[in-house]
């Protein structure tokens, strides 16, 4: 009995103790009290609950961003991964969970020391969500409310990152300046230096970037700091800035940290690039380093990059043959479009510097197709490529037409003998190997310059278009050897497998024993026949064809001279082409401009030749703009000002002519002419002729039009003048002078229509019936427009849409229609034009069926600001 009593008393004491502890725990849960027990409880609960789980989620997202980062080792690596909306959406669940858990720590443990840290986690999560505004506000809140300087410093550091990512660079700079004045812990100072470097990288300020990273480098102690990567980046920046010894040291430091394999590989590769090579021993050491990289089986996937760097290295040592061979080997082994593109680019730049523009053009063409769209300076590469495309086009034209002119003067027997001799000369002997045939071909033996590693052979090979027989027979020979070969992008790369397969098959065929029916002489004769027949079709054997060929040569010489002078900065070659042009074509339309350019080219180097060209220009072309520019360097500026004044006078004179006030209009035209000859003068000349026509002075009218066409053969108005001339001659022939002119009237405030005109085409009409109503529904849903088709003349149709209250609203419709036209897929393959017209003029147009006259009126009146 006493035993049970003791047990009851013991349990009673335990219960009381348990209740006591529960009471303590209950009263400690209050987030308002600041007692030691309260703080300890809330610190513990906040740290290992909300804060801990929020940090885990944010860390998970940061690691995912780093893992998703694709490094381009041809550029300076990014310090931090790039944030983008697609990835942010993928991490939405984790980031929302992080914000939720951190918010719980803030809400239920307000007197905890982890509140500021939880707010910073919320800001980081919002940063990775690309919620810039809320992220900035969160970091600013911590900065203003916290009493903990460490939390304040960390919040400002993350605020700098947010400003940098949001491209608020001035705000980022202001925050950096503030922190640099504060006393920071080593950890926060390291973080700040990395943020300064990241901002500098974003602004492409490499000096500040490397300076900040170099200061931060000794502080990179933790594995999470990724010191190997930072050392590698510092080495890249120093190499970019030209400090190769410093770059070498940091690449060596990078290797000392045993970084991930790819960083290790490129560090070794770039270390060889910047090694001191002032002695032959060092050069040999660098070559051994490259060879070791090639032999390492782990580098199999990087062989194209190794060969690329070897090519760059050898070119740097002035070993042109070896450098080109290595770069071409890089292209052959390439499995990386970027490395291929840079190899093409390096070869292009090499040939360009050597002034071998035909080779340079071929490699620039390949580089522009292979390099990624975001490649640095791609716009400049494409610009140079386009210049060289033009150069090679004109050079090819010049050589081809010269060759054709020479061949055209030969009799058929001599021509046939030349073709046969060329075929025999270019025929390659077939060597049958005694060894077992292999289904391969030696790439080095390929005629393609990409695979040709013998530099001298590449350069000494005659240009294809230098032989007209080769041009004529080329197509048939190509099909015979290669078969049908499709046109496609990246042909220089895609041709590798095709070339090997095609040549292998063809080689096997050629190595087979020829039959009695098909012997080598028979094949040669057939080829000569085919080439002879094709050549006869393109030879300039008539006067017209010869004149056409000479015109092409004249244009090519002019364009080559301009490219040499204005784009390639080669004055000697430019002078040579210009002189050839003047010697061969003394009556050339380009003579005035060419003489002016010769004057400038020789001004410093050959004063006598410069003076002779200047005198010839003044004697032969005294009224040309080039002669006036020679006499007055400010001529173009003054002429431009005069042209502006002429335009204003022209507009007033045109209105007077429309109102049939012919004398007043003529007076204004004379005033405009008195300002001097400008590029606007042809408009005045034509208006003067139109005034004469309106006065019924038909003979002067016809002579005026004929003179205008002769004086301005290339001007945009010449086509219109020819139309007027044809019309007046037709009217004179039919003796119907009353229809000589149609007067359209201006009335901006009257009803207007939008009109599309086109050659009759049922398919286009069907497409317009759908496209125009769809356009109206999309952009003018609150308005209703009627539309109908109207024939005009024998072969043209109009689609008339309307009506509009005035000219301005009709013009707005026309401009919007033209802006959106590219998106109307149903109309893309058709040709048509459009204009606006008032209702009265539309009646006149449909009655007279004279569309060209209205188009002239439309151009003058509706487009007078840009006549």
């Amino acid at each position: 009995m006493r035993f049970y009593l003791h047990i009851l008393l013991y349990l009673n004491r335990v219960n009381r103790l348990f209740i006591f502890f529960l009471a303590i725990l209950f009263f400690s849960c209050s987030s308002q009290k600041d007692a030691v027990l309260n703080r300890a409880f809330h610190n513990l609960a906040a740290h290992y609950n909300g804060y801990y789980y929020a940090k885990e989620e944010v860390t998970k997202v940061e690691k995912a961003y780093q893992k998703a980062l694709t490094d381009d080792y041809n550029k300076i690596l990014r310090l931090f991964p790039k944030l983008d909306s697609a990835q942010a959406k993928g991490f939405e669940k984790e980031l929302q969970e992080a914000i939720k858990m951190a918010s719980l720590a803030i809400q239920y443990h307000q007197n905890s020391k982890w509140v500021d840290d939880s707010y910073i986690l919320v800001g980081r999560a919002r940063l990775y969500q690309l919620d810039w505004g809320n992220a900035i506000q969160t970091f600013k809140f911590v900065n203003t409310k916290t009493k903990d300087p460490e939390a304040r410093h960390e919040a400002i550091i993350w605020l700098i990152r947010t400003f940098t990512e949001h491209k608020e660079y001035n705000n980022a700079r202001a925050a950096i300046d503030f922190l640099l004045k504060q006393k920071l812990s080593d950890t926060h100072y390291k973080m700040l230096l990395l943020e300064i470097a990241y901002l500098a990288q974003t602004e492409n300020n490499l000096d500040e970037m490397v300076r900040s990273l170099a200061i931060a480098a000794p502080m990179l102690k933790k594995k999470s700091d990724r010191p190997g990567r930072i050392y590698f980046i510092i080495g890249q920046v120093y190499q970019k800035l030209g400090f190769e010894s410093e770059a070498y040291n940091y690449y060596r430091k990078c290797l000392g940290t045993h970084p991930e394999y790819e960083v290790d590989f490129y560090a070794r590769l770039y270390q060889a690039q910047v090694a001191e090579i002032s002695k032959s021993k060092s050069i040999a050491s660098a070559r051994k380093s490259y060879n070791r990289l090639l032999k390492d089986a782990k580098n199999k996937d990087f062989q194209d990059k190794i060969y690329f760097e070897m090519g760059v290295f050898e070119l740097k040592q002035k070993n042109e043959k070896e450098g080109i061979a290595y770069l071409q080997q890089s292209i052959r082994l390439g499995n990386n479009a970027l490395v291929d593109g840079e190899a093409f680019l390096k070869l292009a730049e090499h040939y360009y510097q050597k002034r071998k523009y035909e080779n340079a053009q071929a490699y620039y063409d390949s580089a522009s197709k292979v390099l990624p769209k975001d490649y640095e300076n791609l716009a400049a590469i494409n610009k140079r490529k386009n210049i060289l495309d033009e150069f090679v086009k004109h050079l090819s034209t010049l050589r081809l037409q010269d060759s054709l002119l020479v061949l055209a003067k030969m009799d058929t027997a001599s021509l046939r003998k030349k073709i046969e001799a060329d075929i025999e000369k270019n025929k390659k002997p077939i060597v049958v190997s005694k060894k077992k045939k292999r289904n391969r071909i030696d790439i080095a033996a390929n005629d393609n310059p990409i695979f040709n590693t013998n530099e001298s052979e590449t350069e000494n090979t005659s240009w294809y278009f230098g032989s007209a027989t080769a041009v004529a027979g080329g197509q048939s020979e190509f099909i015979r050897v290669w078969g049908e070969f499709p046109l496609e992008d990246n042909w220089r790369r895609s041709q590798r497998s095709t070339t090997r397969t095609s040549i292998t098959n063809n080689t096997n065929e050629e190595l087979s024993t020829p039959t009695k029916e098909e012997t080598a002489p028979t094949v040669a004769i057939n080829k000569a026949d085919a080439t002879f027949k094709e050549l006869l079709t393109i030879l300039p054997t008539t006067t017209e064809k010869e004149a056409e060929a000479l015109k092409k040569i004249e244009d090519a010489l002019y364009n080559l001279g301009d490219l040499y002078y204005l784009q390639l900065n080669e004055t000697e070659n430019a002078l040579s082409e210009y002189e050839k042009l003047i010697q061969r074509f003394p009556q050339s339309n380009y003579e005035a401009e060419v003489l002016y350019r010769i004057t400038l080219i020789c001004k410093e180097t050959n004063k006598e030749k410069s003076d002779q060209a200047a005198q010839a220009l003044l004697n032969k072309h005294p009224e040309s703009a080039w002669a006036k520019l020679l006499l007055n360097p400010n001529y173009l500026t003054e002429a431009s000002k005069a042209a502006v004044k002429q335009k204003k006078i022209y507009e007033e004179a045109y209105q007077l002519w429309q109102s049939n006030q012919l004398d007043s209009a003529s007076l204004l035209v004379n005033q405009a002419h008195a300002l001097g000859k400008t590029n606007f003068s042809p408009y005045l000349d034509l208006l003067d002729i139109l005034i004469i026509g309106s006065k019924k002075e038909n003979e002067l009218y016809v002579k005026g039009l004929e003179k205008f066409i002769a004086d301005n053969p290339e001007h945009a108005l010449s086509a219109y003048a020819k139309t007027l001339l044809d019309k007046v001659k037709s009217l004179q022939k039919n003796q119907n002078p009353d229809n000589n002119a149609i007067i359209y009237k201006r009335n901006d405030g009257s009803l207007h229509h939008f009109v599309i005109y086109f050659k009759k085409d049922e398919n286009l009409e069907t497409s317009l019936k759908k496209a125009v109503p769809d356009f109206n529904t999309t952009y003018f849903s609150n308005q209703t427009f009627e539309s109908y088709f109207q024939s005009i003349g024998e072969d043209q149709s109009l689609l008339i849409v309307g009506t509009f209250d005035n000219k301005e609203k009709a013009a707005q419709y026309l401009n919007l229609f033209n802006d959106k036209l590219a998106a109307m897929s149903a109309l893309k393959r058709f040709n048509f034009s459009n204009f606006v017209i008032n209702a009265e003029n539309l009646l006149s147009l449909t009655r007279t069926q004279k569309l060209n006259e209205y188009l002239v009126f439309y151009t003058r009146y509706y487009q007078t600001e840009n006549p």
Side-chain angles (χ1 to χ4, degrees):
M1 186 70 180
R2 181 177 297 178
F3 172 75
Y4 290 111
L5 182 60
H6 280 297
I7 291 175
L8 290 173
L9 290 173
Y10 174 75
L11 293 174
N12 191 33
R13 284 196 295 271
V14 171
N15 288 337
R16 286 200 299 271
L17 187 62
F18 179 71
I19 293 170
F20 175 73
F21 278 112
L22 285 177
I24 292 175
L25 184 63
F26 175 77
F27 289 108
S28 298
C29 289
S30 173
S31 60
Q32 306 300 323
K33 295 182 180 181
D34 196 30
V36 175
L37 194 58
N38 290 81
R39 289 199 302 272
F41 168 76
H42 287 292
N43 286 340
L44 184 68
H47 186 197
Y48 291 106
N49 283 287
Y51 174 80
Y52 175 82
Y53 290 112
K55 187 176 181 180
E56 286 291 303
E57 296 295 340
V58 171
T59 303
K60 187 191 302 182
V61 171
E62 289 176 338
K63 288 181 178 178
Y65 266 116
Q66 288 182 354
K67 188 175 180 180
L69 175 63
T70 302
D71 287 320
D72 179 1
Y73 287 87
N74 297 288
K75 300 178 182 178
I76 295 172
L77 300 188
R78 292 180 62 90
L79 279 169
F80 300 114
K82 185 177 181 179
L83 306 181
D84 66 73
S85 56
Q87 285 181 297
K89 289 180 181 178
F91 301 137
E92 184 66 24
K93 180 181 177 181
E94 290 82 355
L95 294 173
Q96 286 294 350
E97 182 67 15
I99 293 172
K100 175 184 174 183
M101 298 308 296
S103 299
L104 289 176
I106 295 168
Q107 183 178 356
Y108 293 110
H109 307 287
Q110 295 178 12
N111 57 353
S112 165
K113 67 179 181 180
W114 297 99
V115 170
D116 295 334
D117 301 270
S118 298
Y119 270 118
I120 292 173
L121 281 177
V122 171
R124 288 166 65 183
R126 286 172 172 167
L127 167 63
Y128 296 133
Q129 285 180 321
L130 309 189
D131 185 1
W132 312 113
N134 284 324
I136 291 170
Q137 289 303 318
T138 303
F139 295 133
K140 284 184 175 180
F141 176 82
V142 177
N143 176 45
T144 55
K145 297 297 183 181
T146 186
K147 297 178 182 179
D148 180 5
E150 295 297 313
R152 177 180 295 110
H153 297 158
E154 186 171 352
I156 296 175
I157 289 170
W158 281 103
L159 182 62
I160 293 168
R161 171 78 68 84
T162 309
F163 283 142
T164 302
E165 295 289 357
H166 199 222
K167 300 181 180 179
E168 298 183 34
Y169 301 134
N170 291 334
N171 289 337
R173 289 284 174 197
I176 288 170
D177 291 341
F178 172 78
L179 275 187
L180 287 174
K181 298 175 184 176
Q182 307 299 309
K183 186 176 181 180
L184 304 176
S185 66
D186 289 345
T187 300
H188 286 155
Y189 186 50
K190 175 184 67 179
M191 291 174 63
L192 176 60
L193 289 171
L194 293 177
E195 293 299 336
I196 294 172
Y198 183 54
L199 174 61
Q201 183 179 33
T202 306
E203 295 181 312
N204 200 31
N205 185 348
L206 298 183
D207 289 322
E208 185 180 18
M209 179 184 178
V210 76
R211 187 165 54 247
S212 300
L213 289 178
I215 297 172
M219 305 178 189
L220 304 172
K221 305 294 185 182
K222 299 179 183 179
K223 185 178 179 180
S224 59
D225 291 335
R226 304 176 78 185
R229 182 182 179 86
I230 301 298
Y231 290 146
F232 181 80
I233 292 173
I234 296 174
Q236 282 186 302
V237 178
Y238 272 129
Q239 186 176 1
K240 181 90 171 179
L241 294 174
F243 299 99
E244 295 190 345
S245 61
E246 290 295 328
Y248 182 89
N249 291 334
Y250 275 100
Y251 286 139
R252 188 173 60 183
K253 285 184 180 181
C254 170
L255 293 172
T257 64
H258 305 291
E260 55 197 54
Y261 178 72
E262 204 166 0
V263 174
D264 182 281
F265 168 76
Y266 279 99
R268 295 181 189 278
L269 196 63
Y270 294 158
Q271 189 180 33
Q273 280 186 4
V274 297
E276 181 62 44
I277 52 174
S278 58
K279 299 178 181 178
S280 59
K281 187 175 180 181
S282 299
I283 295 175
S285 176
R287 286 174 178 151
K288 285 181 180 179
S289 176
Y290 284 125
N291 288 327
R292 282 196 300 271
L293 289 171
L294 279 175
K295 291 177 182 178
D296 191 338
K298 297 194 298 294
N299 297 335
K300 183 178 180 181
D301 292 338
F302 298 108
Q303 284 195 349
D304 56 344
K305 181 63 177 177
I306 297 171
Y307 276 113
F308 172 79
E309 296 299 340
M310 291 172 71
V312 174
F313 177 83
E314 294 298 343
L315 288 178
K316 196 174 180 181
Q317 309 314 311
K318 309 300 182 185
N319 298 323
E320 184 176 353
K321 183 177 179 179
E322 291 82 358
I324 291 172
Y326 284 137
L327 289 172
Q328 292 170 341
Q329 180 74 354
S330 171
I331 295 169
R332 285 198 296 275
L333 298 176
N335 54 15
N336 184 322
L338 182 59
V339 177
D340 278 4
E342 293 203 320
F344 282 128
L345 180 60
K346 186 60 67 175
L347 286 166
E349 290 172 344
H350 171 75
Y351 283 119
Y352 186 85
Q353 290 169 2
K354 294 286 185 180
R355 297 187 176 183
K356 298 173 182 176
Y357 297 123
E358 294 165 84
N359 288 345
Q361 181 271 337
Y363 285 112
Y364 270 118
D365 178 71
S366 296
S368 69
K369 290 179 171 63
V370 176
L371 288 171
K373 302 302 179 185
D374 60 347
Y375 187 79
E376 185 179 7
N377 294 328
L378 184 61
I381 292 169
N382 286 332
K383 182 179 179 182
R384 181 168 288 181
K385 176 251 179 190
N386 293 335
I387 292 170
L388 293 177
D389 284 348
E390 281 291 305
F391 177 87
V392 170
K393 181 183 77 172
H394 297 308
L395 189 61
S396 303
T397 300
L398 178 62
R399 290 173 175 172
L400 174 61
Q401 298 303 324
D402 270 337
S403 298
L404 292 176
L405 286 172
V406 172
L407 293 174
K409 295 177 181 178
M410 298 172 64
D411 59 70
T412 54
S414 300
L415 183 59
R416 177 60 184 256
K417 286 182 180 180
K418 179 171 177 55
I419 293 172
E420 291 174 352
D422 283 348
I423 292 173
E424 186 65 27
K425 181 180 178 181
N426 294 325
K427 187 167 63 174
K428 295 181 180 179
I430 300 173
V431 179
V432 181
S433 175
K434 295 181 180 180
K435 296 181 180 181
K436 183 180 179 179
K437 291 187 295 183
R438 297 179 182 177
N439 189 28
R440 69 176 187 86
I441 187 166
D442 186 2
I443 293 176
N446 195 324
D447 288 337
N448 191 313
I450 291 179
F451 302 113
N452 189 349
T453 57
N454 189 330
E455 177 64 8
S456 61
E457 288 179 9
T458 302
E459 294 171 17
N460 294 333
T461 301
S462 60
W463 177 245
Y464 173 77
F465 290 104
S467 171
T469 57
V471 174
Q475 185 175 5
S476 59
E477 174 66 7
F478 185 87
I479 295 173
R480 186 186 73 80
V481 175
W482 299 90
E484 293 294 336
F485 197 89
L487 293 175
E488 57 184 357
D489 290 337
N490 303 332
W491 63 274
R492 290 185 183 278
R493 296 183 65 236
S494 62
Q495 74 181 354
R496 292 183 211 141
S497 59
T498 308
T499 301
R500 292 170 184 153
T501 303
S502 300
I503 296 180
T504 300
N505 295 337
N506 190 58
T507 303
N508 292 336
E509 290 174 7
E510 289 181 355
L511 291 177
S512 61
T513 304
T515 63
K516 294 180 180 179
E517 291 77 18
E518 183 179 290
T519 61
T522 304
V523 174
I525 292 171
N526 292 338
K527 183 177 179 181
D529 286 339
T531 304
F532 182 71
K533 290 177 182 178
E534 289 193 34
L535 188 58
L536 288 178
T537 63
I538 61 174
L539 285 177
T541 52
T542 65
T543 304
E544 293 78 9
K545 287 185 177 181
E546 183 179 0
E548 185 179 344
L550 288 171
K551 177 60 178 171
K552 289 178 180 179
I553 292 172
E554 180 185 358
D555 293 341
L557 286 169
Y558 168 77
N559 288 314
L560 283 173
D562 271 7
L563 286 168
Y564 274 127
Y565 182 48
L566 302 175
Q567 302 292 346
L568 302 174
N569 297 320
E570 290 197 33
T571 54
E572 290 183 8
N573 283 329
L575 181 61
S576 174
E577 300 300 326
Y578 286 144
E579 288 179 336
K580 288 178 188 175
L581 173 62
I582 292 177
Q583 290 168 5
R584 291 188 65 174
F585 305 97
Q587 303 300 321
S588 173
N589 292 330
Y590 299 120
E591 186 180 33
E593 182 179 353
V594 167
L595 288 170
Y596 176 77
R597 296 206 188 285
I598 291 175
T599 302
L600 297 182
I601 291 172
C602 299
K603 192 172 184 180
E604 301 295 334
T605 59
N606 191 334
K607 189 73 167 57
E608 183 180 355
K609 184 177 285 188
S610 177
D611 291 342
Q612 289 175 355
Q615 194 59 48
L617 173 60
L618 296 175
N619 292 339
K620 293 183 177 182
H621 310 278
E623 296 300 319
S624 68
W626 301 104
K628 293 177 180 179
L629 187 60
L630 182 65
L631 295 172
N632 178 14
N634 296 322
Y635 167 73
L636 292 179
T637 303
E638 294 173 0
S640 178
K641 292 179 180 179
V644 172
K645 295 178 181 178
Q646 287 177 335
K647 285 182 183 181
K648 292 182 179 179
I649 298 173
Y650 169 85
E651 291 174 10
E652 188 177 351
Y654 185 80
Q655 291 176 5
L656 290 172
W657 171 70
Q658 279 191 312
S659 303
N660 209 28
Q661 300 179 43
L662 304 180
D663 292 335
S664 299
S666 182
L667 182 62
L668 286 178
V669 171
N670 291 335
Q671 290 179 8
H673 275 305
L675 295 173
K677 191 168 185 178
T678 68
N679 60 350
F680 193 77
S681 296
Y683 290 91
L684 298 172
D685 294 337
L686 188 57
L687 181 56
D688 212 0
I689 294 168
L690 291 174
I691 293 171
I692 292 172
S694 298
K695 292 180 178 179
K696 309 298 183 183
E697 299 175 6
N698 290 345
E699 186 176 348
L700 292 176
Y701 181 60
V702 170
K703 289 182 179 179
L705 288 172
E706 290 174 341
K707 185 176 185 303
F708 181 87
I709 294 168
D711 292 344
N712 305 278
E714 304 296 329
H715 199 277
L717 290 176
S718 290
Y720 173 60
K722 289 177 183 177
T723 302
L724 294 177
L725 183 61
D726 292 342
K727 180 180 177 180
V728 72
K729 288 183 176 180
S730 176
L731 289 173
Q732 287 175 344
K733 184 177 179 180
N734 297 328
Q735 295 183 348
N736 189 15
D738 293 335
N739 293 331
N740 190 40
I742 300 170
I743 303 299
Y744 290 99
K745 297 180 180 179
R746 296 176 51 187
N747 193 343
D748 294 355
S750 66
L751 295 177
H752 275 66
H753 296 270
F754 168 78
V755 178
I756 295 175
Y757 67 94
F758 54 94
K759 285 190 175 182
K760 289 182 179 179
D761 184 341
E762 291 183 1
N763 293 328
L764 177 54
E765 284 193 14
T766 303
S767 298
L768 286 171
K769 285 177 182 177
K770 183 178 186 306
V772 173
D774 288 348
F775 171 82
N776 293 337
T777 302
T778 302
Y779 299 103
F780 296 92
S781 57
N782 297 328
Q783 302 180 54
T784 302
F785 298 116
E786 294 182 0
S787 60
Y788 60 93
F789 289 91
Q790 171 77 48
S791 294
I792 184 165
E794 295 180 359
D795 61 346
Q796 288 188 311
S797 291
L798 305 179
L799 172 62
I800 301 167
V801 181
T803 58
F804 301 91
D805 294 340
N806 51 47
K807 168 194 165 185
E808 182 180 357
K809 291 184 178 180
Q812 290 173 355
Y813 182 96
L814 178 142
N815 292 333
L816 182 60
F817 184 91
N818 288 339
D819 288 343
K820 305 299 180 182
L821 187 57
M824 300 182 193
S825 57
L827 302 180
K828 280 186 177 180
R829 63 189 183 91
F830 297 108
N831 293 321
F832 56 85
S833 299
N834 52 39
F835 57 82
V836 296
I837 186 170
N838 66 39
E840 184 178 354
N841 289 338
L842 180 60
L843 289 174
S844 299
L845 175 60
T846 54
R847 175 177 54 80
T848 62
Q849 301 282 293
K850 304 296 184 183
L851 179 60
N852 286 338
E853 283 79 353
Y854 178 76
L855 293 177
V856 174
F857 169 83
Y858 176 77
T859 301
R860 296 295 180 278
Y861 172 55
Y862 286 86
Q863 300 176 351
T864 49
E865 293 182 0
N866 297 291

